[in-house]
Each structure stands twice: as structure tokens, then as C-alpha cells.
Amino acid sequence: MNQERVHTASPDFIAQANIKPDDYRRMYRESIENPDAFWTNVAKRLDWYRFPTDIRDVSYRPDDLHVRWYQDGRINASVNCLDRHLAARGDKTAIIWEGDDPSKSERISYRDLHARVCRLANALRNLGVKKGDFVVIYLPMIPEAAVAMLACARIGAPHCVVFGGFSPDSLGTRIADCSPKVIITADEGLRGGRPVALKANVDKALQRPDTHTVETVVVVRHTGNPVNMQSPRDRWYDTLVEGQPAVCEPEVMDAEDPLFILHTSGSTGKPKGVLHTTGGYLVHTSFTHEVIFDLKEDDVYWCTADVGWVTGHSYIVYGPLANGATTVIFEGVPNYPDFSRFWQVVDKHQVTIFYTAPTAIRALMREGEAPVAKTSRASLRLLGSVGEPINPEAWEWYHRVVGEGRCPIVDTWWQTENGGILISAIPGAIPQKPGSATLPFFGVEPAIVDNEGKVLEGVAEGNLVILSSWPGQFRTVYGDPKRYKDYFTTYPGTYFSGDGCRRDADGYYWITGRVDDVINVSGHRMGTAEVESALVAHPRVAEAAVVGFPHDIKGQGIYAYVTLNAGEQPSEELRRELVAWVRKEIGPIATPDHLQWAAAMPKTRSGKIMRRILRKIAENAPEQLGDTTTLADPSVVQTLVNERLVR
Ligand code: 6R9
């Protein structure tokens, strides 16, 4: 190992760690050599109505594709996150809520959370929601988001959480995909002091004919600003749960019954509803949460993600609560009221474990050390990173400035499809190298394949695949089994992640980013095709091509090339209009950073846009354009290079 760049946890950290340096290799070997025994043992961490004996039933063969874990087990996720903690941890804080407004916070005990979940679960049953019915959740980062997810889990209604930053149209598409009877939303969200019109967005989404299945909209009173309430469809959350019993008989679920779907972006088409089931998902999220975050009974754990993303599902709600941990739900943003906010919240609630995204670290790094240094952060003992590759400079800053050299960093690689972490350091056991997600978690068999699918051994670079299954793996793409199959047919017999990856001489994995048409903007996954289809939906646009380009803070930015309809003239005003249009169509996270007019696109003779070329122009690397002789009209390229927006 190149010693300068390796960070090993301190002897003090290792002495108290759950997993010691010698444990990792032994446990990993056991998990691979005898997976059934290993995962039987791990499943004992949960409370089952019927403990499973059929541990794994998996085939990646396209003609017989199926992934099943613990299929004869019976379990309820909300019981595991709530009821089973009541005896020993009833008064322990389950959720610390920190509002966008720094003067607002709340602590909710396991007993109180259990009662709130039961009341809402009863109310949902009264509204006619039965086992197997979908419920859409479109909420800000308030305790009701976790309450709503767990209430659905209690009655066996799979939830579909939609990120509160999504537009009415993006919300409508997701509603149409799962046909819920009920939506749970709030009057407004609040971020950085600015209201977000959630209820008004729901109203707009419900004007679409394909969202007619919604019978009831449950509205949490959050900011208290007036909103339009349509009777009898719209019901206030507080009056609905008032008077409901604080106990609720849970639905006994099969391990393989759906727990939720969550939409994520692919390289083509509309977002995919990634489906997760109950038993395996909860085993995987709770186990990884305890091992990778070295969880102890007294920890105060804070993951800054939004519950609208998978990280929020697995590592704000299900993993931590299944473990009886104290989990922080933060409504705000890192720079409001100022750039010290994260660290003020750490001090206020004495956070011990802090898990965030590289984009936040880079944005804070740009503000210098002073906003960090004026806070104590003495409570912190472990840091985590997720969502995109973390560049070594940001890693070192996070380690040295935020953690004052005392806290190990776990760089956790995984995806919506994976349910939970697959590649990460275990802080007391695996030395860290800045920029590397390090080694596979127990039971996970990554491999690197070349473009022909040949498995590469030793030091290698190529496409990251996983050879076998793990309990938290997704079970299908809801309503679209063909797109599920696609994951297992690119490199037959393996799950293909869509990521590029390098493995070094120590066997460490270095994720290099997506190799498909998915881009990662501030840790948010987006299909370039989604942004393109928003652009071409504008009446003056003929064609659009969107690529990612390296961005200092966001990791990747959005670079759009637009060809206008014949007779239309480019103008600054139209450029601004198109940028605003995309924001409105998809949501602010999809706002293009650059929009370049393209009189024509570089196309192959068969009419395919050559994105490789557009990527190089957006990266300001015109000298790397490579072979352009297959283009129908090579002169197009020179114009695009001359007019490029990044230099
Ligand atoms: C959990 C989550 C998945 C994509 C994934 C990869 C990137 C996530 C990463 C990482 C490098 C890490 N990614 N974690 N890349 N290092 N630690 O983010 O899920 O939204 O589905 O995104 O994010 O490119 O393929 P999701």
C-alpha cells in the first residue's frame, strides 16, 4: 500500500469498534463460502412472525430471472422499527427533528413514534387502504415523512415516496405509475427560508387524467400558510389522526411482499420504479447500518439525505430505526442561515455519526475553514460519504477540518437498486484510501469486466458488476420486467451497475462514475434522456442532446445542446426561457448549467447523435474528439467547438 494515502482508524477507535481488523477477512470469507449459514445468522437480528428457513433462491438466467430471500419468513417492518424497541427503549429518542428554521426542533421517543405511526395507520385503513395498495408520499423533511412510511409498512401498503423538489409533472408521472388511492403531502415545504408549494403541486398533478385513482389527499399543516382544500378529496392530517387509537394491529407480511417502490433514473425512458421487498431489505439495511457506522446504543446518527432518495429510505428511516438508533431528520440546507449550519446542528444535538454527500463537502470547502472552526464538533466520531465519487481533496478536507483527523470516513458505494451499501470501509477494520470505496461488504462479490464481458483479475479497470445476490437487492422494475432484465443481460449472469470502476493492487475498488447516459448532479441521479425530453417538449425546440460535464461543486453539471425549429432565432431570452422550462418540467435539480445552440447535431450516418463528441466539447477537451470520420457531416463539429461555452 502507498502509505501516505492510507488512513487507519486510531487505536482508540479500533479498541471500541464493533468489527476488529482481523474480523473483516474472516467474516467476508464465511459470507462467501457459506452464504446460507451467514445470512441465517444475520436474519436473527430481526423479529419474525415465522423465522425463515429458505434463505436464498436466486437465478440471474434471463429465462428464469428471480431474486428471493427468506421467502418462507413472515415479518412486519414497522414492528421491527418500533414495537420491539418499546420494552427497553420506549423513552429513548427515535427521531430528532431539526427544522429549516434553527429555532425549531423536536425529539420524538420510540413510544411516541409508535403511537403516531399507529394513529396514521388506522386512519389510512379507514380511508380504505388495504394490504397491497400503493400510497404516494410527497412530504418535506419532517417527522411525518418517517411516520407515513412506517404507517404504510404497518398495514402492508407499499409506499412510493416522491422527492419534494420534483415538479407537478414528475410527481404526476410517478402517481400514474403506481395508481395510489391516497397521497400524503403538506401545505408547504420550507428550504433555506423559502416555501415550496407542495399542496399546489399535488393539485396540478391530479389534473392529469392518468392520476384519477387518487381518492384522498392527506395534508400535513406545516408552514400554516393558506392552501386550497377541495372537499371531500382533501383532508387535514391532524384532524384525520385525531381520536385514532394509538395501537394498530400490524399486517403479517411475507418476506417477499413489497415494502416500497422508489423511482430512479435510467439511461433511457421514464424513471424506473425500483421495487424492494420486506425481509431481505430490512436485514440488509439494518445490518449494514450497524456494521459500517459502527453503531452503539448512545450514538446520535445524522444522515443529511432527503427521504425522497434511497439513502433517506435505508439510512434515515429503516436501517437506523430497525436498530433502535437515534436518527436526525433535518429539514434545512447546509448554507442557511449560514455555512456553519451543519456543524451547529452537530453541536446542538451532539451528533456522533455524520453521513453526507461529496457535493455538500465541496460546497462547504469553498467557504474555507472558518465556518467549521467556529463550532466544536467534539461529539463526532465517524463520518460517511455517499452518492458520487468523492475526490481525494474533498476527502482530506472532510477528514482534517471537519473530523479534526479523529474520525474515520466510510465512503459507501451503492445504488437505489441495491437497497443498501455494497462497497465500503468498515471503520475499525478496513484502512481507508481517500477516493476509494475500499472493499466489498459481507456477501458482496464485485467483479470488473471489459466491454466484452470478460472478467478481469487483479489490477484492472472496466465495468462494475456483481456476481451474486445480496438480501437488499431490488426484485423488479415495477410494471416493467423487461427493464429489470436489462440489468442482467448486458454482462450475462451478473448484475451490471452502470458504473465504471478500477481495482488497485490492494484489491480496493475506485468507482469512476457512470458509463451510461446517466449523470450524477450533486449526488442526484438523472437520465440525460429525461432532460432531453423536457427540452423537446418546448414548442420551439426541434432537437436536444444533454451530457454531463465536470463541475467543481456538483460533481457533474448539465450541458444541453439545442437545435431550434426551422425559422426560430436563438436569443438570450429564449435561452433563459428554456432553462426555466426544464426547471418547471422536472424540478430545480435538473436546471441546465449551460445551454448551447446547435445549428445541427453531430450524427452518424444512421442518424445517431454522437454523444461522445458532445461530451468532449462540454468538457472543453476538443483535442480529444477522436475519430469523427463516421459522422454524416464532420463540419458540424467545428462549429460546436468554436461556440462551446466552457473554456
Ligand atoms: C445511494 C445512491 C447511484 C449512483 C451509482 C454511482 C453513484 C453512489 C457512490 C457513488 C462513487 C460512492 N454513487 N455512491 N459513486 N462512490 N460512494 O446514491 O443511489 O441515487 O441510485 O445513485 O451514484 O454512480 O451508480 P442512487
Side-chain angles (χ1 to χ4, degrees):
M1 274 191 198
N2 176 349
Q3 291 303 324
E4 291 92 65
R5 307 191 62 210
V6 177
H7 293 258
T8 306
S10 67
D12 284 353
F13 190 98
I14 292 173
Q16 60 81 64
N18 294 342
I19 307 277
K20 307 287 187 222
D22 294 340
D23 296 338
Y24 170 70
R25 301 249 167 219
R26 176 184 52 79
M27 290 177 72
Y28 183 75
R29 201 175 336 103
E30 285 168 10
S31 74
I32 300 301
E33 284 170 2
N34 199 345
D36 282 14
F38 185 87
W39 290 111
T40 301
N41 240 333
V42 177
K44 292 178 187 154
R45 62 189 294 105
L46 298 181
D47 279 5
W48 301 78
Y49 297 107
R50 185 163 78 206
F51 192 80
T53 58
D54 188 349
I55 302 307
R56 246 175 353 134
D57 175 7
V58 175
S59 159
Y60 283 179
R61 285 204 354 239
D63 56 346
D64 183 30
L65 176 60
H66 63 267
V67 174
R68 292 174 205 133
W69 283 81
Y70 306 119
Q71 57 182 318
D72 61 340
R74 310 197 101 196
I75 189 165
N76 181 286
S78 89
V79 169
N80 275 278
C81 292
L82 301 168
D83 306 48
R84 68 174 179 144
H85 304 313
L86 293 183
R89 302 185 177 109
D91 295 320
K92 179 174 175 178
T93 302
I95 291 175
I96 298 177
W97 177 69
E98 172 72 20
D100 183 62
D101 172 346
S103 72
K104 296 218 161 82
S105 60
E106 189 186 355
R107 298 178 84 92
I108 302 171
S109 68
Y110 271 95
R111 199 181 321 285
D112 187 16
L113 185 63
H114 173 265
R116 292 195 201 192
V117 167
C118 287
R119 285 200 190 93
L120 180 62
N122 288 323
L124 290 173
R125 273 198 181 132
N126 284 348
L127 291 173
V129 179
K130 297 183 304 296
K131 178 177 174 180
D133 291 342
F134 278 94
V135 172
V136 163
I137 299 173
Y138 183 60
L139 282 172
M141 286 291 287
I142 54 179
E144 285 81 359
V147 171
M149 291 163 75
L150 294 170
C152 289
R154 191 154 196 100
I155 62 172
H159 53 72
C160 169
V161 180
V162 179
F163 173 54
F166 275 129
S167 67
D169 200 49
S170 299
L171 171 63
T173 310
R174 287 159 174 80
I175 295 171
D177 194 42
C178 67
S179 311
K181 272 190 198 159
V182 173
I183 298 187
I184 305 174
T185 189
D187 47 9
E188 292 177 322
L190 207 53
R191 274 174 79 77
R194 284 198 301 271
V196 184
L198 296 176
K199 174 60 168 62
N201 287 351
V202 171
D203 291 344
K204 283 188 202 134
L206 294 187
Q207 281 164 14
R208 295 167 42 143
D210 57 359
T211 58
H212 68 270
T213 57
V214 175
E215 293 166 9
T216 309
V217 180
V218 179
V219 186
V220 178
R221 246 185 266 266
H222 180 48
T223 62
N225 289 329
V227 290
N228 171 48
M229 292 292 278
Q230 180 182 316
S231 182
R233 188 195 69 184
D234 301 345
R235 310 279 299 271
W236 288 109
Y237 180 103
D238 46 13
T239 51
L240 196 72
V241 298
E242 204 178 66
Q244 289 291 344
V247 290
C248 170
E249 196 54 42
E251 199 73 47
V252 176
M253 306 297 283
D254 285 341
E256 282 297 337
D257 280 334
L259 180 60
F260 65 86
I261 64 168
L262 179 64
H263 290 86
T264 191
S265 298
S267 50
T268 56
K270 61 179 171 74
K272 304 183 259 199
V274 166
L275 184 139
H276 285 285
T277 57
T278 310
Y281 173 81
L282 209 59
V283 167
H284 186 192
T285 52
S286 69
F287 185 45
T288 47
H289 180 257
E290 178 180 316
V291 169
I292 292 167
F293 296 105
D294 191 48
L295 188 71
K296 305 292 192 305
E297 190 62 46
D298 294 333
D299 275 312
V300 175
Y301 163 87
W302 180 15
C303 164
T304 69
D306 191 285
V307 289
W309 310 114
V310 75
T311 306
H313 283 59
S314 302
Y315 297 110
I316 295 177
V317 179
Y318 287 109
L321 295 177
N323 288 336
T326 299
T327 183
V328 176
I329 294 187
F330 176 51
E331 185 186 19
V333 293
N335 59 352
Y336 175 84
D338 58 50
F339 283 96
S340 294
R341 187 68 197 280
F342 271 0
W343 324 121
Q344 286 158 356
V345 175
V346 165
D347 287 350
K348 178 173 173 186
H349 299 299
Q350 293 294 293
V351 171
T352 57
I353 305 169
F354 179 76
Y355 188 33
T356 196
T359 186
I361 298 300
R362 288 190 298 264
L364 295 172
M365 201 173 141
R366 193 177 56 171
E367 301 301 317
E369 297 180 17
V372 190
K374 70 183 203 201
T375 62
S376 156
R377 287 157 288 105
S379 57
L380 288 176
R381 66 180 191 90
L382 178 62
L383 302 173
S385 173
V386 62
E388 50 176 324
I390 181 164
N391 47 312
E393 302 69 39
W395 197 104
E396 295 286 2
W397 189 86
Y398 195 22
H399 188 259
R400 178 177 60 80
V401 180
V402 176
E404 296 181 346
R406 167 184 82 238
C407 309
I409 297 181
V410 289
D411 174 1
T412 63
W413 176 83
W414 60 295
Q415 313 174 291
T416 306
E417 294 87 338
N418 307 153
I421 297 165
L422 294 192
I423 302 181
S424 170
I426 294 174
I430 300 177
Q432 296 114 58
K433 299 187 193 185
S436 169
T438 77
L439 298 174
F441 188 70
F442 304 131
V444 176
E445 294 180 85
I448 296 178
V449 299
D450 66 15
N451 289 341
E452 279 66 55
K454 189 165 107 41
V455 174
L456 307 174
E457 305 292 342
V459 175
E461 179 157 2
N463 306 297
L464 179 62
V465 300
I466 313 287
L467 300 177
S468 55
S469 181
W470 60 96
Q473 187 171 24
F474 69 145
R475 303 303 200 250
T476 191
V477 173
Y478 184 69
D480 203 342
K482 157 82 178 63
R483 291 180 93 190
Y484 185 60
K485 213 175 251 187
D486 289 346
Y487 287 89
F488 304 90
T489 46
T490 315
Y491 302 109
T494 73
Y495 163 80
F496 175 42
S497 65
D499 278 332
C501 184
R502 179 165 68 78
R503 188 174 45 225
D504 70 15
D506 297 313
Y508 275 42
Y509 290 84
W510 301 72
I511 311 296
T512 52
R514 302 288 304 198
V515 295
D516 53 13
D517 287 321
V518 171
I519 51 178
N520 193 324
V521 181
S522 301
H524 301 318
R525 230 171 112 168
M526 217 169 310
T528 51
E530 289 168 62
V531 186
E532 287 165 7
S533 73
L535 281 166
V536 295
H538 189 279
R540 293 166 76 183
V541 172
E543 193 162 43
V546 169
V547 297
F549 72 100
H551 187 289
D552 284 350
I553 305 289
K554 302 181 189 179
Q556 276 187 302
I558 301 178
Y559 196 116
Y561 298 86
V562 171
T563 308
L564 293 173
N565 286 328
E568 297 287 355
Q569 289 308 317
S571 67
E572 259 325 292
E573 196 194 339
L574 182 55
R575 191 200 303 265
R576 275 195 300 273
E577 181 180 322
L578 291 179
V579 170
W581 171 270
V582 176
R583 261 181 95 87
K584 183 178 81 41
E585 289 281 302
I586 303 177
I589 55 170
T591 310
D593 297 276
H594 297 296
L595 192 150
Q596 178 174 352
W597 305 116
M601 298 286 180
K603 289 185 181 172
T604 61
R605 268 161 244 167
S606 63
K608 278 210 181 76
I609 296 179
M610 288 191 76
R611 288 159 184 291
R612 176 175 60 77
I613 288 175
L614 295 178
R615 262 184 230 122
K616 288 295 169 200
I617 297 174
E619 282 167 21
N620 190 26
E623 71 289 352
Q624 294 170 22
L625 286 181
D627 183 14
T628 56
T629 53
T630 54
L631 287 174
D633 176 4
S635 72
V636 165
V637 174
Q638 201 48 53
T639 317
L640 289 175
V641 168
N642 293 343
E643 295 175 0
R644 71 188 186 277
L645 299 172
V646 180
R647 289 171 197 262

